[in-house]
Amino acid sequence: MGWFFFRYVLWASGLVGVFFLPNLSPLFAVQAWQTQFTIELTRDWISLFALPVTLDGYTVYLSHPFQIWIVDSCNGLTAYLLLAAAILAYPAHWRVKTLWLMENYLILAFLNSLRITLVIYATQWDSDYFYCAHDCVGRYSFIVMTLLLFVIFTQRVKVSQNNSAPIKPIKPTKPTKSIKADPSPTPAR
């Protein structure tokens, strides 16, 4: 467990550094792309549920004067990177980890845009609901869903001692015939 925690901290620190430090990060632009992707998914949910709101750029205009902005901190990338760090730190085969990383990215993007849509829906009724819907229900339910995805991962993936190759069962070998020593003494010369 200690080894997993150590590797998790290393992976999380590295991923956060690579994606979130604007002056040092080669992948900082992923933030803007992820935010735009989240906005487009949220736009689809708004259309599907026929919510009486207008989404213009990153601003959601409600029927009352309250507005909601979908900014970089709303895009779900932080939760995904923390989940990715846990998956990468887990002792499993790399091909399995890669598959789970891709699947969980899509699942979290879907759930995050649905979470934002539900916050918009609750706030549509009354702008006072925003803080509870966003900070309490939305944020904590997203954390719980992310943790649940990792629990599902750990339940379905076998632990591997060697991360570069899948575990192969050891086949029992057939017993070999033993050579019995001749009980008679050897003649002396």
Side-chain angles (χ1 to χ4, degrees):
M1 183 67 159
W3 182 239
F4 168 78
F5 183 72
F6 176 72
R7 290 183 350 178
Y8 173 77
V9 169
L10 286 177
W11 275 109
S13 301
L15 289 172
V16 167
V18 167
F19 284 93
F20 290 121
L21 298 175
N23 296 330
L24 303 174
S25 171
L27 299 175
F28 186 74
V30 172
Q31 278 276 16
W33 180 87
Q34 180 65 27
T35 301
Q36 190 59 40
F37 182 58
T38 302
I39 289 170
E40 292 305 318
L41 288 175
T42 304
R43 185 184 316 277
D44 293 341
W45 283 115
I46 289 171
S47 296
L48 180 68
F49 292 135
L51 295 179
V53 299
T54 304
L55 180 58
D56 184 24
Y58 63 88
T59 306
V60 179
Y61 297 97
L62 305 174
S63 58
H64 47 76
F66 194 80
Q67 299 172 1
I68 297 174
W69 296 284
I70 302 173
V71 295
D72 287 349
S73 60
C74 301
N75 65 19
L77 189 59
T78 303
Y80 174 72
L81 291 178
L82 294 176
L83 175 63
I87 290 173
L88 291 169
Y90 195 76
H93 185 264
W94 281 102
R95 282 180 279 180
V96 173
K97 290 180 188 185
T98 304
L99 178 65
W100 278 83
L101 287 170
M102 291 186 298
E103 288 175 352
N104 285 323
Y105 172 76
L106 295 175
I107 291 169
L108 282 180
F110 171 81
L111 291 174
N112 186 48
S113 62
L114 182 60
R115 173 188 71 91
I116 293 170
T117 305
L118 294 175
V119 169
I120 293 168
Y121 180 76
T123 308
Q124 180 63 31
W125 294 104
D126 188 351
S127 61
D128 291 336
Y129 294 156
F130 174 77
Y131 297 104
C132 180
H134 180 270
D135 294 341
C136 299
V137 178
R139 183 173 291 160
Y140 294 120
S141 63
F142 195 61
I143 291 169
V144 168
M145 288 184 279
T146 304
L147 289 172
L148 184 61
L149 285 173
F150 181 67
V151 169
I152 292 169
F153 169 76
T154 61
Q155 296 298 312
R156 295 200 176 169
V157 173
K158 293 180 182 179
V159 174
S160 172
Q161 298 301 323
N162 180 1
N163 290 342
S164 61
I167 297 176
K168 294 180 182 176
I170 299 173
K171 296 180 182 177
T173 57
K174 294 181 181 178
T176 56
K177 294 182 181 179
S178 60
I179 301 174
K180 294 185 180 179
D182 187 13
S184 60
T186 10
R189 292 188 180 186

